[in-house]
Amino acid sequence: AQRVTQPEKLLSVFKGAPVELKCNYSYSGSPELFWYVQYSRQRLQLLLRHISRESIKGFTADLNKGETSFHLKKPFAQEEDSAMYYCAPSRVFKAPDFGNEKLTFGTGTRLTIIP
Amino acid sequence: SQTIHQWPATLVQPVGSPLSLECTVEGTSNPNLYWYRQAAGRGLQLLFYSVGIGQISSEVPQNLSASRPQDRQFILSSKKLLLSDSGFYLCAWSYGQRNQPQHFGDGTRLSIL
């Protein structure tokens, strides 16, 4: 079965401290991986995706195929980082795979930055 | 630019009553469309997805159904609501290309009494 696990439901970090939100997946093949974020009173939105190899709002995520992990990291937490974070691998649901993918969301981690 | 609208924002319904939640997308053509449910303390669960008009795939067996009568309209329905249908329902769209992110609506909070 394809699964994604975010082991921490709640995570509190002091402002300025490093942040790591864990995500482990169990998928056949090579899924594409995304992190989504929901700030208070805002819509769920894309934070970053593995394929872009980008840093968004200071966050990065490294894919470790050996450990099947895609942890989200930021070296120095800021108060505006407080939000709900979801890890979401995608998988093909229809052949051919062009455009036919769907996401599986983890249960999420609520990150609170302590001033 | 593309926008997604979902309504109503909140809904309180008695057990056994019908349901219709609507989602529309503007500013793009032939999007992939999705319905998710988020139960308290749980992640988002994909309920239905659609790659085109009249094409609906169900992820999990349930009391709900979905329809796509127009290219950018996605409807979530039920003939008779159950208590277990309570939750937060999200609609999303994406481009029909590889590795495209999904864009979410504001959601509908459904309470069954």
Side-chain angles (χ1 to χ4, degrees):
Chain A
Q2 295 164 320
R3 294 182 180 177
V4 55
T5 303
Q6 292 181 253
E8 304 138 328
K9 286 189 176 181
L10 303 170
L11 181 63
S12 296
V13 174
F14 284 101
K15 178 182 174 181
V19 176
E20 184 179 51
L21 300 169
K22 293 184 169 58
C23 173
N24 291 91
Y25 63 92
S26 172
Y27 264 56
S28 57
S30 298
E32 184 51 49
L33 291 136
F34 300 82
W35 275 98
Y36 281 78
V37 61
Q38 188 166 26
Y39 301 102
S40 178
R41 299 187 183 86
Q42 294 187 29
R43 294 181 176 184
L44 185 62
Q45 59 187 286
L46 176 71
L47 178 62
L48 58 79
R49 45 186 162 172
H50 170 251
I51 194 171
S52 300
R53 301 288 198 275
E54 56 199 349
S55 174
I56 303 295
K57 298 184 178 181
F59 284 97
T60 58
D62 293 325
L63 174 61
N64 187 320
K65 290 187 177 182
E67 296 180 357
T68 59
S69 68
F70 189 53
H71 302 330
L72 184 69
K73 299 178 183 179
K74 183 170 182 176
F76 306 104
Q78 298 172 290
E79 287 186 63
E80 54 265 33
D81 295 330
S82 292
M84 192 74 175
Y85 291 81
Y86 295 94
C87 179
S90 73
R91 56 191 167 102
V92 171
F93 60 72
K94 180 180 176 182
D97 64 3
F98 185 75
N100 297 314
E101 300 171 319
K102 53 185 175 182
L103 299 172
T104 298
F105 283 85
T107 51
T109 298
R110 182 167 297 282
L111 176 64
T112 301
I113 306 302
I114 304 167
Chain B
S1 62
Q2 301 80 26
T3 56
I4 180 169
H5 302 281
Q6 194 179 336
W7 68 92
T10 59
L11 188 61
V12 180
Q13 292 282 94
V15 170
S17 62
L19 172 74
S20 180
L21 302 181
E22 191 162 341
C23 174
T24 58
V25 179
E26 296 176 358
T28 188
S29 297
N30 197 32
N32 288 355
L33 296 172
Y34 310 84
W35 276 112
Y36 290 87
R37 176 169 58 201
Q38 184 175 29
R42 303 178 67 179
L44 278 73
Q45 180 184 37
L46 180 62
L47 302 176
F48 301 95
Y49 57 90
S50 172
V51 298
I53 296 175
Q55 301 178 61
I56 308 294
S57 296
S58 175
E59 262 303 89
V60 294
Q62 58 198 298
N63 184 43
L64 302 168
S65 62
S67 60
R68 187 171 176 172
Q70 300 180 43
D71 181 43
R72 291 167 289 178
Q73 184 184 29
F74 206 25
I75 298 172
L76 185 68
S77 305
S78 173
K79 292 182 179 178
K80 287 186 178 182
L81 285 167
L82 305 172
L83 282 174
S84 58
D85 292 324
S86 291
F88 190 63
Y89 291 84
L90 281 167
C91 181
W93 73 272
S94 71
Y95 290 110
Q97 298 170 0
R98 190 74 195 272
N99 298 322
Q100 291 297 310
Q102 293 184 14
H103 306 273
F104 288 83
D106 288 324
T108 296
R109 184 158 303 282
L110 176 63
S111 299
I112 310 301
L113 303 178

